[in-house]
Amino acid sequence: MDIVLVHGAGGRPTTWSEVEPLLAARGHRTVAVTNPLTSLEADVAHTTAAVEELAGPVLLAGHSYGGAVITNAGRHRAVRGLVFVAAFAPEEGETVNGIVERYEPAEISTYMRRGPNGEWKSEPSEEFWAEIGPDLSPAHRAVVEAEGRKAEDAIFRQPTGKPAWRTLPSWYLVADDDRTLRPRAQRDMAARAGAVTAHVPGSHYTTLVHPQRVADLIHTAATTVSDRP
């Protein structure tokens, strides 16, 4: 099955570098997008364009902010299901920022900085890694640091449209020790979306720390929706 993988704020396709080979070994074709991160609308358009280039039915998987993207891009007629990996799953009219503000600030907020145009970027330090990504290997730290793209404020403040999870089968992998997106927020969004929910220990960097668990859930989802009209 064709699977489109969507990174989060500041991310790149390398977010999925450990997961893609595992999916390919099971016969899935994957496309990892590089969204512009200029606005939610632009990222949805870019992801939707990737869907339209594929011949068959599509499963969307999103990490972190990428969940807000697939919530909207999932309205495309070719999409059969959604997989959220420690990700946002907003309701209609809701923003990523609005979800964050409903909960106690996550520990990562200490390390977030705004640029002159309102864009956001985290500032990794030894203290950052110890608190936010203690389960990352040095190699995986290097992957995250190499991503490090700025994200315009509009990706967090533009409201979502009608969420695709209302009509599509959905799966959600909760990172139980996440200090970037509160686990309680993840559980609440998964329940609201009616998603099949699984849990893994560890930080927000789930695709790097637990690639097998991520690939297993995506494979299960792809197998389940492969015959869906």
Side-chain angles (χ1 to χ4, degrees):
M1 188 171 197
D2 290 330
I3 301 169
V4 175
L5 304 168
V6 183
H7 60 75
R12 299 180 189 272
T14 47
T15 295
W16 302 96
S17 58
E18 301 280 352
V19 176
E20 284 194 275
L22 301 175
L23 293 174
R26 292 184 171 185
H28 301 295
R29 297 175 298 275
T30 61
V31 175
V33 300
T34 305
N35 281 330
L37 300 179
T38 52
S39 69
L40 176 59
E41 183 179 60
D43 292 342
V44 171
H46 191 270
T47 299
T48 300
V51 171
E52 290 179 342
E53 291 180 0
L54 301 172
V58 174
L59 178 74
L60 295 180
H63 174 249
S64 193
Y65 158 73
V69 178
I70 69 171
T71 291
N72 289 274
R75 295 191 295 269
H76 191 279
R77 63 187 178 280
V79 179
R80 299 291 184 269
L82 309 171
V83 180
F84 297 88
V85 180
F88 289 90
E91 176 59 278
E92 185 170 7
E94 198 170 45
T95 66
V96 168
N97 198 59
I99 293 170
V100 169
E101 289 179 345
R102 285 206 301 270
Y103 300 86
E104 179 184 357
E107 288 83 351
I108 197 172
S109 61
T110 301
Y111 305 96
M112 296 298 293
R113 300 291 181 269
R114 299 195 75 162
N117 298 315
E119 69 274 15
W120 288 92
K121 187 177 180 181
S122 60
E123 292 188 352
S125 62
E126 284 306 311
E127 292 76 16
F128 171 92
W129 293 121
E131 186 167 18
I132 308 303
D135 49 2
L136 284 175
S137 68
H140 288 152
R141 283 191 188 184
V143 170
V144 176
E145 287 182 326
E147 290 181 343
R149 297 167 63 204
K150 292 180 180 178
E152 299 295 334
D153 194 42
I155 74 171
F156 304 111
R157 295 190 181 277
Q158 283 188 341
T160 196
K162 183 178 180 181
W165 49 255
R166 284 190 186 174
T167 55
L168 293 178
S170 301
W171 288 258
Y172 199 110
L173 189 59
V174 176
D176 285 333
D177 304 306
D178 199 327
R179 295 190 172 188
T180 298
L181 176 57
R182 289 285 184 199
R184 180 185 167 193
Q186 295 181 42
R187 294 191 300 269
D188 290 349
M189 287 185 285
R192 182 174 65 181
V196 176
T197 304
H199 294 255
V200 290
S203 71
H204 191 62
Y205 303 102
T206 316
T207 60
L208 296 173
V209 179
H210 295 290
Q212 189 65 61
R213 293 290 298 276
V214 174
D216 286 348
L217 187 63
I218 292 175
H219 173 70
T220 296
T223 302
T224 302
V225 303
S226 60
D227 295 327
R228 192 172 186 264

